[in-house]
Amino acid sequence: MAHGPAKGFTRWLYTTNHKDIGSMYLWFSFAMFFLGGMFALVIRAELFQPGLQIVEPNFFNQMTTMHGLVMVFGAVMPAFVGLANWMVPLMIGAPDMALPRMNNWSFWILPFAFAMLSSTLFMQGGAPNFGWTFYAPLSTTYAPPSVTFFIFAIHIMGASSIMGAINIIATILNMRAPGMTLMKMPLFVWTWLITAFLLIAVMPVLAGVVTMMLMDIHFGTSFFDAAGGGDPVLFQHVFWFFGHPEVYIMILPAFGIVSAIIPTFARKPLFGYASMVYATAAIAILSFVVWAHHMFTVGMPIAGELFFMWATMLISVPTGVKVFNWVATMFKGSMTFETPMLFSIAFVILFTIGGFSGLMLAIAPADFQYHDTYFVVAHFHYVLVPGAIFSITAGVYYWLPKWCGNMYNETMGKIHFWLAFIGLNVTFFPMHFSGLAGMPRRIPDYNLMFADWNMISSVGAFLFGAAQVVFLYNVIATIVSGKKATDEVWDNPEGLEWTVASPAPYHTFAEPPEVK
Amino acid sequence: MSAGTYYVPEQSRLPIWASFGLFLTVFGAANWMNGSDKGPYLFFVGGLVFATVLWKWFSIAISENMAGMNSPQLKRSYVMGMQWFIFSEVMFFAAFFGALFYIRTLALPWLAGEGDGVDNPLLWPNFTAEWPLMTTPDMALNGDAATRLGPKDSMTFPGWGGLLGWLPLWNTIILLSSSVTVHFAHSAIKNNNRKSFNIWLGVTVLLGVIFLILQAEEYIHAYNELGLTLQSGIYGTTFFMLTGFHGAHVTIGTLMLFIMWMRSMLKGHFKPDDNFGFEAASWYWHFVDVVWVGLFFVVYVFG
Ligand code: HEM
Ligand SMILES: [Cu+2]
C-alpha cells in the first residue's frame, strides 16, 4: 500500500480511496452551496422591497424550492458524508472505508442526480415550484411536468445516501483499530454512527413517498386524492416521518464536530463524554415520534396535537444536556479563539437560539399563529446555518491543515468568521419579527408593514454571500500557498488523526495502530 | 495491496459506470412517462448498462473471494452491508404499510364525517366508509354505483367454505415452504452435501416462480373479472402497490437464488464455510417471506 494516487483525471473517476472520495464530496458540496446560495440571493433580491420587482411569482416559487432542495440534499448532507469519509477511518485507525468501491459509487450518483434536478430549470413549465417539502396535491395534481425528473433525482440521491450510510456503519462497527472500544470512539464517530442509522431508516420512507407521488401522477392511483378515497394529509405524515429525522441527520454530525473542536481550544477534555453519547442516541430515538409537530395546523385529533407537542418538547432535554456539556467544557479552560473555535462557539450560542424558537413552535396552540410564517424560516435557519453550516465550516478550518498539509491564514479566517456571523444574524434575526407580525413564507410580495425587516434581511443575505466568497478564497489560498503545517497542527489535540503526517499520506493505518 | 490486512481494492471503473447506468435508466423512465419518444430507448440502454456493470461487479467480487483476498474482516463488512440493506428495504415497505393503516383506520372514517369539526360531509355527501372501499367519494358524489364486485368476490377472505379455492392461501403456503426449502439448502451446503444443496435450492427457485405465476393469475382475475385496477380508488391503490412491490421483490429474490443455483450447478461455487453469496440471497428471501406474512394478514385476511 505504499503507492500514492494514480495519474490523470481518471484518478477521481475510478478512485477507491476514502481521502479522494471525501475531497470530492466536500468540493461537490461546496459547489452546491454556491448554487443554492445563488437561488437564495434571487429570493432576497426580490424581497428587498415589497411589490413584484425582479422575478415572476412562479419563478420565485421555483427558487424557494430549489434553494431548499439543493441546500439540504446537495450541500449539507454531502458535506457531512465528505467529512465522514475523510475523518472516520483516520479517527478509528482504519485503512479505508469498509466497502471502498461502493463508496465511490455513492459519490458519483450525486453529480448525475443534481444535474438532472438542475436541468428542470430549463424544462417546459419550469422547475419544481411546490416547496422543498413538496406537499401533495401541489406536487401531484398541480405540479409542472418536471416533477417526474425531480422524483427520480430524489430516488437516486436516496440510493446514494443509503449506500453511504451502510458504508459508514460497516466501517465504524467493523474496522476499528484494536483497543478502540465503542466508548473510546471520538464523538464525531459516534454521532455519525447514529446518523447513519437514521439515514438507513428514513431515506427509504422518502423513496416511498415520492413513489406514491409518481404513481398518483402517472398511473392513476389515489394515495393523495380524496376523490378516490386517499388523503393529501397522508403525504404530510409520510413525508415528515422522513423529514423530522432528516433534520437531525443534518445536525447530529455537527454535534460531533464541535465536540471535537471545543476541547482542543479549551485545552480540557470534553465534559460528560458518556452523557453526550446517550443524549445523541436519545435524540435519534425521539426523532421518530415527533414528526407531526410540522402538522399542528393541518387538522389532527386533540390527542395527536398533545402527544406530538409533549414528545417534541422532550427532545430539548437531551439537546440541553449537550449544550451544557459544551459550556462546561469551556468553563475555566485556557481558551484561545482560532477560527474553528470561533465558529464552534457561535454554533453553541446561535444553535441554542434556534432551539428556543423550536420550543416556541412546539407549543401547539402557539404554532397556529407561527406556522407558515417567517418565524419558522427564522427557526430553521438558526439551526441550519449557524448549526449545520457553521459546524462544517469549523470542521474544514480544523482539519484542512491535516488534509492539504498547509495552514490557513488566521486573519483571513477571522474575516470570514465575522462577516458570516454578522451577515447571518442580520439576515435571519429580523425574520423572527416579521414572522411574529404575521408575514407568510414562500410569498414574492408582502404587506408594506414588513418592508423594513425585509430590507435588512436582504442586506444581511448579500453580506453572508460575500463571506462565503472569502471562504472559497481561503480554502484555495491555503491549498495553493499556505504555510507548512505541523503534524499536530494544534496545541496537543486529541485523536488518532493527529498522529499521522500532514498532509495525511494517501494510505494511512495499513497496519492498525494500537489504542490504549 | 499487500502490506495491510484488509483488502482495499485498486482503482475501479465499476462505480462511475454504475452511476451512469442508473442515471440513464431513471432519466429514460422520466422521459418515457412524460411522453417523450426517446424515453424508452434511454431507459432500456441505461438498464442494459446498469445490468452489465452489476454483472461485472459481482463477478469481480466473486473472483476476489476465490483468490483468497477476502479476510474474515472484509467478509464481515459484506455481511453487515447486506443486513443493513435489508433493513432499508424493511423501512421502504413500512412506508406503504403505514399508508394503508392510516387510510383504513383514520382517513376513510374522517372522510365519511367521523371525528369532530370535519366538514367532509359537505364536500363528499353520501359517502360512507367501508373496507374494501367499493364506492369512492367521487362516485358517491356523482351517484355512481360501485363498478367492481363486492367484498365476497374481492381478494379478501372468502369465508371458510371457499378456503381451498382461495389463491392467497396457496401463495402463503408456497412462500412459507420456500423459506423452509432454502433453509434445507443452507444446511446441506454446510454439511458439504452438494447434491442436496442443488436440489433444495432448485426447488426454492421453482416455488418462487410458481408464486409469481399465481400472483399474475390473481392480477389478471382482478383486472378482468373483478374490475379491480390501480385506478379504482384507494383500495386498488393499496392492494396493487403493496402486493406489486412485494412481487417485484420476489422476482429479484428468485433471480438472485437462480443465479446462486447456476453458480453451484455450473461452476461448483460455495463451500461449507464460505457461501456468503448464497446466504445473502437466502436472507433476502426470508425477508420477502416475512413481508408476505404481513401482507397476508393486513391485505387479505383482514382486508
Ligand atoms: C429543540 C429542538 C427543536 C424543536 C423543539 C423544533 C421544533 C420545530 C417545530 C415545531 C417546527 C414546525 C414549525 C411550523 O411549521 O409551524 C419546526 C420546523 C423546522 N425545524 Fe425545528 N425544532 C428543533 C430543532 C431543529 C433542528 C436541530 C433542525 C435542523 C438542523 C430543525 C429544522 C427544522 C426545519 C427545516 C423546519 C421547517 C420545515 C419546513 O416547514 O420547511 N429543527 N421545528
Ligand atoms: Cu421537526
Side-chain angles (χ1 to χ4, degrees):
Chain A
M1 293 243 266
H3 67 81
K7 300 257 173 321
F9 79 99
T10 53
R11 160 187 175 185
W12 302 101
L13 297 185
Y14 304 153
T15 186
T16 49
N17 180 285
H18 73 104
K19 300 184 183 86
D20 282 352
I21 297 170
S23 303
M24 289 196 293
Y25 264 113
L26 287 167
W27 278 113
F28 175 78
S29 146
F30 215 169
M32 290 297 115
F33 184 47
F34 278 102
L35 182 68
M38 239 114 75
F39 297 153
L41 291 184
V42 174
I43 297 171
R44 280 322 319 172
E46 172 59 48
L47 294 177
F48 184 68
Q49 286 184 327
L52 291 181
Q53 317 286 342
I54 300 172
V55 293
E56 294 287 313
N58 187 36
F59 187 71
F60 182 89
N61 289 343
Q62 295 173 31
M63 287 292 104
T64 54
T65 307
M66 294 295 276
H67 164 68
L69 291 170
V70 167
M71 285 303 193
V72 168
F73 296 103
V76 174
M77 291 169 69
F80 282 135
V81 182
L83 289 170
N85 256 291
W86 252 103
M87 300 320 297
V88 167
L90 281 179
M91 287 177 161
I92 63 174
D96 206 297
M97 295 288 281
L99 302 160
R101 281 175 296 221
M102 192 172 84
N103 197 15
N104 199 29
W105 190 18
S106 308
F107 170 74
W108 274 107
I109 287 176
L110 289 181
F112 287 106
F114 279 88
M116 187 154 86
L117 183 64
S118 311
S119 73
T120 59
L121 277 166
F122 308 102
M123 286 180 188
Q124 185 112 50
N129 56 2
F130 29 68
W132 85 275
T133 52
F134 50 102
Y135 281 11
L138 269 183
S139 61
T140 52
T141 317
Y142 305 104
S146 62
V147 64
T148 314
F149 292 88
F150 155 81
I151 289 171
F152 282 113
I154 293 283
H155 268 135
I156 61 177
M157 279 171 217
S160 151
S161 287
I162 291 171
M163 288 191 288
I166 289 176
N167 222 330
I168 289 169
I169 291 198
T171 306
I172 298 174
L173 294 182
N174 192 31
M175 309 276 291
R176 296 192 311 280
M180 176 66 78
T181 58
L182 284 176
M183 289 311 267
K184 273 191 197 158
M185 295 194 311
L187 256 169
F188 180 68
V189 180
W190 255 114
T191 53
W192 243 116
L193 179 65
I194 292 170
T195 304
F197 168 74
L198 287 181
L199 275 168
I200 303 176
V202 301
M203 291 312 283
V205 177
L206 176 68
V209 78
V210 292
T211 306
M212 293 177 198
M213 281 168 56
L214 187 76
M215 296 305 291
D216 271 14
I217 295 170
H218 290 292
F219 300 96
T221 56
S222 27
F223 282 110
F224 309 132
D225 181 6
D231 187 353
V233 179
L234 170 64
F235 173 89
Q236 299 185 25
H237 280 293
V238 187
F239 176 81
W240 285 115
F241 187 84
F242 148 80
H244 187 81
E246 167 69 18
V247 309
Y248 283 97
I249 287 165
M250 293 190 286
I251 205 67
L252 294 185
F255 293 168
I257 296 169
V258 296
S259 300
I261 293 174
I262 289 180
T264 300
F265 298 98
R267 292 169 182 76
K268 274 176 65 193
L270 184 69
F271 185 88
Y273 170 88
S275 70
M276 286 296 218
V277 173
Y278 297 131
T280 311
I283 291 174
I285 290 163
L286 282 175
S287 77
F288 285 107
V289 294
V290 299
W291 76 87
H293 64 214
H294 297 273
M295 303 167 56
F296 285 140
T297 62
V298 161
M300 246 192 300
I302 196 81
E305 302 267 339
L306 290 174
F307 172 80
F308 286 107
M309 172 167 99
W310 293 117
T312 302
M313 293 191 168
L314 212 56
I315 292 204
S316 20
V317 178
T319 314
V321 168
K322 289 186 161 290
V323 173
F324 282 120
N325 281 346
W326 291 318
V327 175
T329 306
M330 290 186 270
F331 185 65
K332 288 193 172 170
S334 43
M335 298 219 284
T336 50
F337 300 93
E338 287 86 342
T339 309
M341 184 62 162
L342 286 176
F343 276 104
S344 300
I345 295 173
F347 171 96
V348 175
I349 298 168
L350 300 181
F351 174 77
T352 306
I353 294 181
F356 280 139
S357 58
L359 267 176
M360 289 172 68
L361 292 165
I363 302 167
D367 185 62
F368 276 67
Q369 169 70 16
Y370 310 146
H371 180 65
D372 261 349
T373 69
Y374 260 81
F375 191 78
V376 178
V377 179
H379 157 66
F380 67 73
H381 282 93
Y382 261 88
V383 282
L384 284 170
V385 179
I389 301 287
F390 267 25
S391 76
I392 294 162
T393 315
V396 168
Y397 279 111
Y398 187 56
W399 286 306
L400 187 60
K402 180 56 60 189
W403 299 338
C404 72
N406 295 341
M407 197 65 191
Y408 65 88
N409 180 317
E410 192 59 57
T411 315
M412 290 305 289
K414 290 212 163 85
I415 291 175
H416 171 205
F417 170 74
W418 285 109
L419 281 179
F421 180 85
I422 295 168
L424 107 90
N425 281 297
V426 172
T427 311
F428 298 115
F429 210 78
M431 290 183 185
H432 290 112
F433 305 131
S434 46
L436 288 178
M439 176 168 165
R441 62 191 285 209
R442 293 173 173 158
I443 292 278
D445 186 8
Y446 50 85
N447 192 302
L448 281 178
M449 68 192 251
F450 307 122
D452 293 351
W453 292 131
N454 273 284
M455 196 174 279
I456 298 173
S457 284
S458 290
V459 171
F462 280 87
L463 189 63
F464 188 80
Q468 303 316 318
V469 179
V470 177
F471 187 24
L472 181 63
Y473 170 83
N474 285 355
V475 171
I476 293 174
T478 308
I479 295 172
V480 176
S481 60
K483 282 209 303 281
K484 280 290 303 154
T486 61
D487 289 354
E488 272 217 321
V489 183
W490 309 110
D491 184 10
N492 203 12
E494 178 114 24
L496 287 177
E497 74 260 41
W498 309 109
T499 63
V500 303
S502 296
Y506 196 58
H507 293 288
T508 34
F509 300 129
E511 293 299 339
E514 194 63 49
V515 180
K516 283 174 279 296
Chain B
M1 295 296 105
S2 47
T5 48
Y6 195 84
Y7 168 62
V8 178
E10 290 286 352
Q11 297 230 314
S12 163
R13 285 159 200 252
L14 296 166
I16 184 87
W17 277 101
S19 310
F20 177 68
L22 188 62
F23 160 72
L24 214 55
T25 312
V26 296
F27 186 67
N31 272 300
W32 193 354
M33 289 177 191
N34 278 2
S36 152
D37 295 340
K38 287 184 249 62
Y41 296 106
L42 293 173
F43 175 76
F44 286 113
V45 172
L48 199 67
V49 173
F50 189 48
T52 315
V53 177
L54 284 189
W55 184 274
K56 276 224 73 136
W57 199 324
F58 283 117
S59 333
I60 290 176
I62 292 164
S63 45
E64 283 169 357
N65 187 35
M66 310 246 280
M69 286 146 122
N70 296 3
S71 63
Q73 194 186 15
L74 179 60
K75 289 181 183 168
R76 254 191 332 269
S77 293
Y78 281 130
V79 168
M80 285 180 184
M82 190 64 193
Q83 288 168 341
W84 286 101
F85 168 65
I86 290 178
F87 174 61
S88 79
E89 292 269 44
V90 169
M91 292 308 295
F92 182 76
F93 274 98
F96 286 88
F97 276 101
L100 174 64
F101 170 81
Y102 173 81
I103 292 285
R104 272 184 70 172
T105 47
L106 298 171
L108 280 181
W110 289 340
L111 209 46
E114 235 179 72
D116 43 67
V118 179
D119 299 328
N120 282 324
L122 297 176
L123 285 170
W124 308 107
N126 308 328
F127 174 67
T128 42
E130 58 181 343
W131 196 265
L133 185 69
M134 307 299 297
T135 315
T136 63
D138 203 30
M139 293 158 73
L141 183 69
N142 298 324
D144 296 340
T147 46
R148 20 184 221 89
L149 300 179
K152 66 174 172 15
D153 300 302
S154 76
M155 297 296 155
T156 53
F157 184 53
W160 298 107
L163 194 63
L164 286 183
W166 191 36
L167 214 141
L169 180 69
W170 289 107
N171 263 346
T172 309
I173 294 170
I174 288 167
L175 262 201
L176 285 183
S177 356
S178 77
S179 239
V180 177
T181 54
V182 85
H183 176 72
F184 286 164
H186 195 192
S187 308
I189 194 70
K190 279 202 277 199
N191 293 329
N192 206 7
N193 189 341
R194 169 83 48 191
K195 198 160 154 240
S196 154
F197 173 75
N198 288 344
I199 291 174
W200 285 118
L201 188 53
V203 170
T204 311
V205 173
L206 211 62
L207 288 171
V209 173
I210 295 174
F211 174 90
L212 285 170
I213 293 172
L214 289 183
Q215 185 85 29
E217 179 65 33
E218 188 181 39
Y219 278 13
I220 294 169
H221 175 64
Y223 261 78
N224 291 346
E225 281 142 58
L226 302 179
L228 178 66
T229 69
L230 261 182
Q231 284 90 357
S232 50
I234 195 65
Y235 179 67
T237 298
T238 51
F239 173 77
F240 284 111
M241 290 303 288
L242 273 163
T243 56
F245 268 119
H246 176 263
H249 282 74
V250 175
T251 312
I252 297 170
T254 309
L255 200 65
M256 292 192 333
L257 290 174
F258 177 69
I259 291 172
M260 299 306 151
W261 186 68
M262 297 291 275
R263 281 176 63 189
S264 173
M265 293 287 284
L266 301 181
K267 304 240 165 147
H269 285 178
F270 305 126
K271 301 194 200 96
D273 57 348
D274 191 10
N275 46 43
F276 173 66
F278 162 72
E279 268 184 337
S282 78
W283 294 336
Y284 194 79
W285 194 250
H286 289 308
F287 149 72
V288 167
D289 226 29
V290 171
V291 172
W292 176 262
V293 174
L295 281 183
F296 181 61
F297 283 106
V298 304
V299 174
Y300 293 105
V301 176
F302 302 106

